[in-house]
Amino acid sequence: MEPNGNDDLKVPLLQPADGVIASPSATDRRKNDRVRSLSFRVSDIKCASCTVSIESAVGKLNGVKSVSVSPLQGLAAVTYIPELINARKIKECIEEAGFAVSEFPEQDIVVCRLRIKGMACTSCSESVEHALSVVDGVKKAVVGLALEEAKVHYDENITDTNRIIEAVEDAGFGADLITTGNDLNEVHLKLEGVNCPEDAAVIKTTLEKAEGVNGVEMDLTKEKVVIAYDPDLTGPRSLIHCIKEASHGSKSYNASLYIAPRRRESEQQEEVRMYRKQFLLSCLFSVPVFVFSMVLPMLHPYGNWLEYKIYNMLSIGMLLRWILCTPVQFVIGRRFYVGAYHALRRKSANMDVLVALGTNAAYFYSVYIMIKALTSDKFEGQDFFETSSMLISFILLGKYLEIVAKGKTSDALAKLTDLAPDTACLVKLDKDGSVISEEEISTQLIQRNDVFKIIPGSKVPVDGIVVTGQSHVNESMITGEATPVAKRPGDKVIGGTMNENGCLLVKATHVGSETALSQIVQLVEAAQLARAPVQKLADQISRFFVPTVVVVAFFTWLVWFIPGLIGLYPKGWIPKAMDGFELALQFGISVLVVACPCALGLATPTAVMVATGKGASQGVLIKGGDALEKAHKVKTVVFDKTGTLTIGKPAVVSAVLFSSYSMEEFCDLATAAEVNSEHPIAKAVVEHAKRLRRKFGASTDHNAEVKDFEVHPGAGVSGKVGEKVVLVGNRKLMQASNVPIGREVQDYISENEQKARSCVLVAIDGKIAGAFAVTDPVKPEAGRVISFLHSMGISSIMVTGDNWATAEAISKQVGIQNVFAETDPVGKADKINKIKDLQMDGTVVAMVGDGINDSPALVAADVGMAIGAGTDVAIEAADIVLIKSNLEDVITAIHLSRKTMSRIRLNYVWALGYNVLGMPIAAGILYPFTGIRLPPWLAGACMAASSLSVVCSSLLLQSYKKPLDVLDAQGPNYCPKSA
C-alpha cells in the first residue's frame, strides 16, 4: 500500500458510485431526529473556493447537520434530517450556487440481506426471487442459491423487513434477517442491573440523549441493547460509559460488549448436523430393509425365515420391510413432502417433487402388493420398500456431503473475516506524546481517533495512521503482496495485517464496518450474491426441467408396460418375482429420481463463490459473476499512464532559468501560483521550489498572495502575483496565452521529453522565465506485464493527457505499441471515445486506471479495473478492484476469470452430460442389449453424486496460483495460453 497523507483519512474503502447515492445507513429510529447521509456527484469544481461556496450554501439550509466537499472526486457529502429538508432541496441549492448535479435519489431505498433456508435448486431461488419482487415497496431482489442469501432493495416508507420475511415464509422457505442498511454502525451491548421496564426506560432515555446516537433498541428478555451511532461523534466505549453514568441511588447499571455467534457458520454447522443425523437415522431403518430384501434371500438357509407366511401370502419379510420403511418415508422423508407441497402451491417444481413422486410410487405400490398378499392365498408379488427407503437415505447422504462441500466454497471469505485480532492494546498519551497507560480491550471497542500499540508479531486491529515508530508490515493477507511494506509516521496501516519487527503507535481512522477488511468482506459477499449471465442457461432449463422429467418418466413406464402387456418383448427380460408392470414401474421411478436439477443450479454460483473468495485473498476483488464473465473475453487492455503504468509520484529532477530573474524570485513566483493547485505535478513543483529556497537560506513559511487564480484543465494555472502575471504549465498553455517559446526552451523541452520527462514552463509577464523537468518513474513490473498480456493474446494501449514525446518514450520502455496522447482531460472524453471506438469493432475492452480520475472511463469500458485501490479509491465505478498498486494483478484478474469460466463450462458439461446420459440408462435403453438396469435406489445415489461432483469441481479453484508466480517457478517454458 502506498503511504498517503491526512487528506483522505475519513474516506471509506467503498465509495459511492457516479451520480447521487442515498445512504440511509445512519437512519435514526427515533421519530423526530432521523439522520440521513447523501452524496451528490457535482461537476465544475475547479478549486478550493468552489468547495467553500458549496459548503457555505448547503450549510445554511435548515435541517442540514454537516456538509463536506471533495474537489478531487467531485463529491458533496451531506448529513441532514429528512423531516426538515429533502434531497431535492439540497440538490437545488447546489445548482443555484452555479454547480451541476446530474441526478438525485427520489426514494429512501434501504438494502437488507436475508438468510434463506430450504432452497435446493435454481427453481427454488427463482421462486424466492419472485415472491420478494411482488412485495409492495421492493425495488429489486437478488437471491444466491450457493450463498443461500437474498439481497433486497426496498422503500422503507412502504414496507419493512418483517413483511419481506413473511413473503419468503409464505413461499415455503425460511428466512432470517442478517443485516439492513441501518446496521453498518451498530453495537450490541449486554446489560447488567436491568431488572424491570423502568430500568430499561432510564437507559434508553439516557442513550437517546447522548451525542452521536441515532437509534436505540432494547431487548429486556435477553438483557441486551442495540445502539446505532455515528462513529465520528461517539463509539462503543463512550456508550458503555454513558450506561454506567445512568446509575442512580441504589440502582447500578453496567454494560459489556455482546458478541453474537456467527449466524452463518452456526447455521451451516446446524444444517450439517441435521443432515448427518437424518442420514444416520434413515440408515438405522433402511439398512435392515435392504438386508431383508436383497441380502438374506440369497443366503439360504439364513433367509428362509423371511418367507414364513403370517396370513395368506403375507410374509414376515414383507411385514418387517413395511414396518421399517414407513418411518423413513413419512417421518425422515417429511422434508420432501413439505418442499414438494410449497413448490406445487407456487406453481413450480423442484427436486423435492421428483423425490416425492418416485418414493411415493414405490412405497404405495408396495403397500398395494402387501394388501393383495394379505387378502389372497394365491397372489405372488414383489414389493419395493427397499427402493423407497434406500432412495431417501442416499439422497440425504448426498445432501449431507453437498452441504459440507458447499461450506468449503466460502473458506477464503471466512479466513478474511478471521484476520482481525480479537483484542488490541489501547494507550493514552500525554501532551508530549508519551505513553501514560496501556489497556487491553476488545477490537470492537476501538473508537475513531483512539491510539493503540502494535508490538512485533501482533496484528493491526483496525485501519489507522502511524503516529510514532517504524516497522515493516506484512500485508499479504489483504493485498497478496509477499514483501513486507515499510511503515513510518504518517503512513497508513490496514486492519488484519501483521506487524513484523518494530513497535508502532497507530491512530485509528476507520473502525467497525468502515475498515478496509470489512469493506472487502462486504464486497466479496455482494459479488458472491451477484448472478453471472451464464447462469441464465440453468435458469431457463430449470423452468421446464422437472415437468419434462415427469412426462419422460410416465412415457418410460408406458413404453415398457404396454409392449410387455401385449408380448412385444421376450418374457425372459422380466426378472423373476416381477411382472411387466413392476419392471416398467421400476424404470419409471429410476427416471424420476436420476434426473438432477440441483447440479445445474450449482454449476455457476459455487464456482463464482470460490473464485471471488480466492481472488480476494490474493488482492483481487471481483465484483460478481458478471465481471468474471466479461473479464475472460478481454482482448484489449487500455492503460492510463499516471499512477498506473508509472508510480504516480511526480518528482522534479531539474530546474533551469531562461531569464534574468534570480532562482529565489523565480521559485517564489512559481510557488505562489502553484500552491493552490491540487494536481500532483503542481505539488511536486511546489515541494522542489521550497527545497531550492531552503538551499539558498530563505524562509518558505509564507507564500505571496495570488489574485485572479485560474485553473486551465490539462494545461496549467495562471494568476497575478503582486504586479506580475504568472503562468505555470505546459507548452499548450503558453501557446494559448501567446507566450513565445524560444529555441533554447524548445531544445530543453525536446531533450527532457525524450527521457520521458514532462516540462513545466513558468512565464512571467508574457515571457518564459524558467522551467522544471518532472519525471514519474515507470513501475518496474510494467514491461513484464505488457509482455505477458501479449503472450495471452491480449493487446495493450496507453491513453494519456501528456505530450506525445513523453508518452512515446514511456511506451517504448514498457513495450506498448499503440499510444494515444494529449487527450482531453475534461471529463476524460477522449479516453472514453477511444474505448467506444474499440468496442464498435467488437473488441472487449478492459480499462485500468487509478479509480478516481478515470471513473468515467472505467464505467465506459466492458471491464473497469481500479488499480492501487488501497483504502481510499472510488471503487464503485470499477468491475474489478486491485487492492495493491501492482500491475501484475491485471494479469491475475483476467487469468482467474478465464480459469473460472472454464470451470463453469466444465460444470455445465458434467451436469448436462450426466442428465443426458443418466436418464436414458435409467429408462432402460441398455437393458435389452446388456441386461444392465439401474435400480431406483442406485439411480438416487447417482443423482446425489452429481451435485456433489459439481461442488467438488468448483472447489478445485482453491488451488489457483497467480500465473506470474507459476512462471517464476516453472521458467520460460510456461505457456499462459494453455494455462
Side-chain angles (χ1 to χ4, degrees):
M1 311 300 291
E2 300 296 335
N4 289 301
N6 299 333
D7 296 339
D8 50 357
L9 293 181
K10 292 188 178 182
V11 184
L13 177 67
L14 291 183
Q15 295 270 347
D18 288 346
V20 179
I21 302 88
S23 175
S25 59
T27 304
D28 194 341
R29 294 175 177 85
R30 287 175 286 171
K31 293 182 179 180
N32 299 319
D33 192 21
R34 297 179 13 150
V35 178
R36 293 196 189 284
S37 295
L38 179 71
S39 293
F40 285 96
R41 177 71 62 181
V42 185
S43 59
D44 301 329
I45 299 179
K46 297 179 179 179
C47 59
S49 62
C50 300
T51 300
V52 174
S53 298
I54 295 173
E55 290 180 348
S56 176
V58 177
K60 293 176 181 178
L61 296 174
N62 183 31
V64 172
K65 298 192 71 174
S66 66
V67 56
S68 61
V69 178
S70 170
L72 185 63
Q73 299 174 37
L75 284 177
V78 184
T79 304
Y80 67 101
I81 301 172
E83 281 76 15
L84 301 177
I85 194 170
N86 57 32
R88 183 183 292 273
K89 289 182 179 178
I90 297 173
K91 181 243 184 184
E92 290 174 351
C93 176
I94 294 178
E95 289 179 335
E96 288 175 1
F99 302 91
V101 178
S102 56
E103 55 184 79
F104 66 100
E106 299 284 355
Q107 299 161 317
D108 295 328
I109 304 300
V110 180
V111 180
C112 72
R113 288 171 54 226
L114 304 175
R115 174 88 59 230
I116 308 296
K117 302 175 184 177
M119 292 193 299
C121 59
T122 307
S123 176
C124 298
S125 61
E126 284 192 333
S127 298
V128 175
E129 212 165 271
H130 175 72
L132 289 169
S133 61
V134 298
V135 175
D136 190 25
V138 171
K139 305 301 176 185
K140 180 183 177 184
V142 180
V143 178
L145 174 62
L147 200 60
E148 296 179 335
E149 287 185 10
K151 187 176 182 180
V152 186
H153 301 247
Y154 65 97
D155 187 344
E156 64 175 353
N157 297 319
I158 300 175
T159 189
D160 55 25
T161 54
N162 292 329
R163 293 182 192 173
I164 292 171
I165 291 173
E166 285 175 10
V168 177
E169 292 174 344
D170 288 342
F173 301 91
D176 290 323
L177 182 66
I178 301 175
T179 60
T180 67
N182 303 324
D183 295 340
L184 293 179
N185 288 304
E186 282 189 347
V187 63
H188 296 242
L189 300 178
K190 188 75 174 176
L191 298 174
E192 298 175 17
V194 180
N195 303 314
C196 60
E198 288 74 16
D199 293 335
V202 169
I203 291 177
K204 184 174 183 180
T205 303
T206 303
L207 288 171
E208 286 179 339
K209 291 179 180 178
E211 184 183 18
V213 173
N214 295 326
V216 180
E217 288 184 1
M218 300 288 298
D219 188 344
L220 193 56
T221 57
K222 296 181 181 178
E223 296 182 341
K224 190 179 75 170
V225 60
V226 181
I227 308 167
Y229 65 94
D230 183 347
D232 286 328
L233 302 175
T234 188
R237 293 200 320 282
S238 300
L239 297 172
I240 291 174
H241 180 71
C242 182
I243 291 173
K244 289 180 180 178
E245 289 199 332
S247 304
H248 59 280
S250 60
K251 289 288 186 180
S252 177
Y253 305 126
N254 202 350
S256 58
L257 190 66
Y258 174 77
I259 302 176
R262 293 183 180 176
R263 186 178 296 178
R264 180 180 177 82
E265 290 182 7
S266 60
E267 287 180 354
Q268 196 172 65
Q269 292 171 0
E270 180 61 32
E271 192 173 17
V272 168
R273 284 193 294 268
M274 183 267 291
Y275 273 110
R276 183 172 60 222
K277 179 181 176 182
Q278 286 194 339
F279 168 66
L280 294 174
L281 190 59
S282 69
C283 286
L284 187 64
F285 295 97
S286 57
V287 169
V289 172
F290 181 76
V291 171
F292 292 161
S293 61
M294 296 289 191
V295 181
L296 287 181
M298 300 184 202
L299 301 177
H300 299 286
Y302 303 106
N304 293 346
W305 61 277
L306 292 171
E307 301 299 325
Y308 292 155
K309 303 296 187 283
I310 299 174
Y311 186 79
N312 285 339
M313 298 302 291
L314 179 64
S315 65
I316 290 177
M318 188 180 292
L319 181 63
L320 286 174
R321 288 192 290 272
W322 173 69
I323 293 172
L324 291 170
C325 176
T326 300
V328 178
Q329 180 71 32
F330 296 108
V331 180
I332 299 171
R334 178 178 177 272
R335 64 182 307 278
F336 299 112
Y337 286 100
V338 174
Y341 164 73
H342 286 298
L344 294 173
R345 197 185 71 168
R346 57 180 182 264
K347 298 179 181 179
S348 66
N350 58 9
M351 186 196 74
D352 292 332
V353 174
L354 295 178
V355 174
L357 281 173
T359 56
N360 277 337
Y363 179 83
F364 286 108
Y365 176 74
S366 301
V367 170
Y368 164 76
I369 294 296
M370 190 178 71
I371 294 173
K372 287 280 288 184
L374 181 64
T375 57
S376 172
D377 56 357
K378 295 180 180 179
F379 176 78
E380 289 187 6
Q382 175 68 37
D383 65 84
F384 300 139
F385 285 121
E386 82 286 346
T387 294
S388 169
S389 59
M390 290 298 293
L391 179 58
I392 289 174
S393 295
F394 273 112
I395 290 173
L396 290 174
L397 173 62
K399 290 297 292 182
Y400 165 69
L401 295 175
E402 181 187 321
I403 294 297
V404 172
K406 280 168 65 178
K408 296 184 181 296
T409 60
S410 57
D411 275 357
L413 185 60
K415 289 177 183 177
L416 277 175
T417 307
D418 292 335
L419 284 177
D422 294 328
T423 59
C425 181
L426 180 71
V427 299
K428 289 185 179 180
L429 307 177
D430 59 17
K431 294 180 180 178
D432 299 326
S434 302
V435 177
I436 56 176
S437 68
E438 296 183 7
E439 179 187 1
E440 187 171 306
I441 64 170
S442 169
T443 299
Q444 296 184 38
L445 291 177
I446 294 179
Q447 300 179 182
R448 185 172 287 168
N449 297 322
D450 279 346
V451 177
F452 50 89
K453 180 180 178 182
I454 310 170
I455 60 174
S458 64
K459 288 184 177 181
V460 180
V462 297
D463 297 355
I465 185 169
V466 177
V467 178
T468 60
Q470 294 186 11
S471 181
H472 284 79
V473 176
N474 184 355
E475 298 179 343
S476 61
M477 58 286 295
I478 301 293
T479 67
E481 178 61 64
T483 306
V485 182
K487 298 294 180 183
R488 298 177 179 82
D491 289 348
K492 291 181 179 180
V493 291
I494 308 173
T497 55
M498 179 73 73
N499 185 26
E500 293 277 330
N501 47 21
C503 184
L504 299 174
L505 291 185
V506 177
K507 183 178 182 180
T509 57
H510 298 86
V511 296
S513 61
E514 294 179 351
T515 63
L517 186 59
S518 296
Q519 298 285 305
I520 289 170
V521 170
Q522 290 175 36
L523 190 66
V524 175
E525 286 178 339
Q528 293 179 346
L529 198 59
R531 185 171 297 175
V534 72
Q535 176 72 18
K536 292 177 182 177
L537 174 64
D539 295 343
Q540 291 167 356
I541 293 175
S542 69
R543 291 188 179 95
F544 58 82
F545 186 88
V546 173
T548 302
V549 170
V550 173
V551 171
V552 171
F554 177 72
F555 275 104
T556 299
W557 175 78
L558 282 180
V559 168
W560 280 100
F561 174 61
I562 294 176
L565 193 64
I566 60 179
L568 289 182
Y569 59 78
K571 295 290 184 183
W573 286 8
I574 303 174
K576 292 181 180 179
M578 271 195 196
D579 58 24
F581 177 84
E582 293 168 348
L583 179 64
L585 183 63
Q586 284 230 345
F587 281 127
I589 294 173
S590 293
V591 171
L592 274 177
V593 297
V594 80
C596 183
C598 301
L600 279 171
L602 292 171
T604 298
T606 52
V608 170
M609 278 187 71
V610 177
T612 51
K614 186 65 179 178
S617 68
Q618 306 221 13
V620 178
L621 303 183
I622 303 171
K623 298 168 77 172
D626 191 22
L628 268 173
E629 188 167 345
K630 288 179 181 176
H632 95 283
K633 301 176 183 177
V634 168
K635 291 299 179 185
T636 300
V637 178
V638 178
F639 289 94
D640 181 43
K641 180 180 75 71
T642 306
T644 303
L645 289 172
T646 64
I647 292 174
K649 290 187 174 179
V652 176
V653 293
S654 70
V656 297
L657 294 172
F658 299 114
S659 65
S660 59
Y661 287 98
S662 66
M663 183 61 75
E664 295 96 319
E665 189 176 5
F666 171 74
C667 289
D668 285 342
L669 292 171
T671 301
E674 286 278 59
V675 74
N676 291 321
S677 174
E678 293 189 355
H679 197 282
I681 291 181
K683 292 181 178 179
V685 168
V686 170
E687 185 179 339
H688 185 78
K690 287 183 177 180
R691 278 201 303 268
L692 287 176
R693 294 292 282 123
R694 283 194 292 269
K695 181 179 178 181
F696 287 100
S699 172
T700 58
D701 293 337
H702 176 71
N703 294 316
E705 184 181 354
V706 61
K707 297 179 181 179
D708 302 327
F709 176 78
E710 185 178 356
V711 175
H712 303 271
V717 298
S718 63
K720 195 172 183 181
V721 182
E723 297 299 322
K724 295 180 172 65
V725 177
V726 181
L727 283 80
V728 183
N730 56 21
R731 182 164 26 192
K732 188 189 298 183
L733 178 63
M734 301 302 147
Q735 291 171 345
S737 304
N738 297 318
V739 176
I741 301 175
R743 184 67 182 176
E744 185 182 5
V745 178
Q746 288 279 17
D747 292 343
Y748 179 79
I749 294 172
S750 300
E751 179 187 349
N752 281 283
E753 285 179 347
Q754 289 173 6
K755 297 177 182 179
R757 297 173 180 172
S758 299
C759 288
V760 178
L761 305 176
V762 180
I764 302 174
D765 290 334
K767 295 181 181 179
I768 294 180
F772 297 93
V774 183
T775 184
D776 188 3
V778 172
K779 290 180 178 177
E781 75 276 6
R784 186 185 187 207
V785 169
I786 301 302
S787 175
F788 198 92
L789 285 172
H790 180 72
S791 67
M792 293 173 69
I794 299 172
S795 61
S796 301
I797 295 175
M798 185 177 78
V799 181
T800 177
D802 213 334
N803 62 78
W804 273 100
T806 302
E808 287 176 349
I810 289 177
S811 69
K812 287 178 182 178
Q813 287 185 41
V814 299
I816 293 179
Q817 301 297 324
N818 299 319
V819 181
F820 295 98
E822 298 183 4
T823 56
D824 179 12
V826 181
K828 302 289 180 180
D830 283 357
K831 195 174 292 186
I832 295 172
N833 290 335
K834 298 298 181 188
I835 291 172
K836 290 184 177 179
D837 288 343
L838 291 167
Q839 291 170 331
M840 289 290 287
D841 297 332
T843 304
V844 178
V845 182
M847 170 69 198
V848 185
D850 59 16
I852 299 174
N853 299 327
D854 299 305
S855 293
L858 291 173
V859 173
D862 297 290
V863 180
M865 296 187 189
I867 192 169
T871 57
D872 56 4
V873 68
I875 64 174
E876 285 296 327
D879 301 296
I880 298 175
V881 180
L882 313 177
I883 297 178
K884 53 180 177 164
S885 189
N886 194 323
L887 283 171
E888 292 180 358
D889 285 341
V890 174
I891 294 172
T892 302
I894 296 174
H895 189 259
L896 177 59
S897 70
R898 289 184 176 184
K899 285 285 188 183
T900 305
M901 293 308 300
S902 175
R903 182 61 55 181
I904 289 173
R905 283 192 289 266
L906 183 63
N907 287 350
Y908 273 125
V909 168
W910 171 249
L912 287 170
Y914 162 80
N915 283 293
V916 169
L917 295 175
M919 288 177 65
I921 294 173
I925 196 171
L926 299 178
Y927 187 63
F929 312 105
T930 63
I932 296 175
R933 154 175 89 85
L934 200 63
W937 61 269
L938 188 56
C942 291
M943 184 264 280
S946 68
S947 295
L948 180 63
S949 64
V950 166
V951 176
C952 291
S953 171
S954 296
L955 283 173
L956 291 176
L957 285 170
Q958 287 189 337
S959 62
Y960 174 81
K961 294 181 180 179
K962 293 184 176 182
L964 287 177
D965 292 345
V966 175
L967 178 64
D968 293 337
Q970 296 184 358
N973 294 327
Y974 176 70
C975 179
K977 285 188 178 180
S978 62

